[in-house]
Amino acid sequence: MLRTAVIGVGHLGRQHARIHYDLAREELSQFVYACDIDEPAAKSIGTERNVAWTNDWRELIGKVDAVSLAVPTESHCEIACGLLEAGVHVLVEKPISRTLNEADQMIAAAR
């Protein structure tokens, strides 16, 4: 079963967490982590959705198969590339990046 996480649990990320939670309740995936640099936010969603939580996305490597990335655009490239290079599938909210170069880096990492 696909193990998932949400990185960034602000306004939009909370909706991603709700959807991941609902998919897990239907046994279509396993929602296992909530992640946010704001530790109280990560802990709150983790507790609310009964999943582990962290404030460092790097801790997810080896523990998840796919993530929803709902962080500010300026962090998309760094986080997405790090996860993609580790073999984690990444759904990135739009806009995908700040620049075409960053988008190209993410596409290359996905290959």
Side-chain angles (χ1 to χ4, degrees):
M1 180 139 341
L2 195 66
R3 301 167 299 163
T4 68
V6 175
I7 302 175
V9 293
H11 178 70
L12 186 57
R14 287 180 178 276
Q15 299 308 313
H16 284 264
R18 178 185 54 79
I19 292 165
H20 282 254
Y21 178 78
D22 289 346
L23 289 169
R25 284 187 21 208
E26 294 178 26
E27 299 182 359
L28 298 171
S29 65
Q30 280 184 296
F31 181 30
V32 295
Y33 263 95
C35 177
D36 199 290
I37 59 170
D38 178 355
E39 189 171 306
K43 184 176 182 178
S44 174
I45 293 297
T47 301
E48 179 182 316
R49 299 298 180 187
N50 196 33
V51 298
W53 60 272
T54 182
N55 63 344
D56 184 353
W57 62 268
R58 292 166 195 86
E59 291 182 24
L60 303 176
I61 295 172
K63 298 176 183 174
V64 301
D65 304 302
V67 303
S68 286
L69 187 55
V71 300
T73 305
E74 59 267 13
S75 298
H76 285 183
C77 185
E78 174 194 357
I79 297 171
C81 286
L83 291 167
L84 289 164
E85 289 167 0
V88 177
H89 299 280
V90 181
L91 172 81
V92 182
E93 70 176 359
K94 60 184 179 182
I96 191 170
S97 65
R98 293 177 296 180
T99 67
L100 182 57
N101 183 52
E102 285 182 351
D104 288 341
Q105 288 176 49
M106 293 163 68
I107 291 167
R111 288 191 177 123

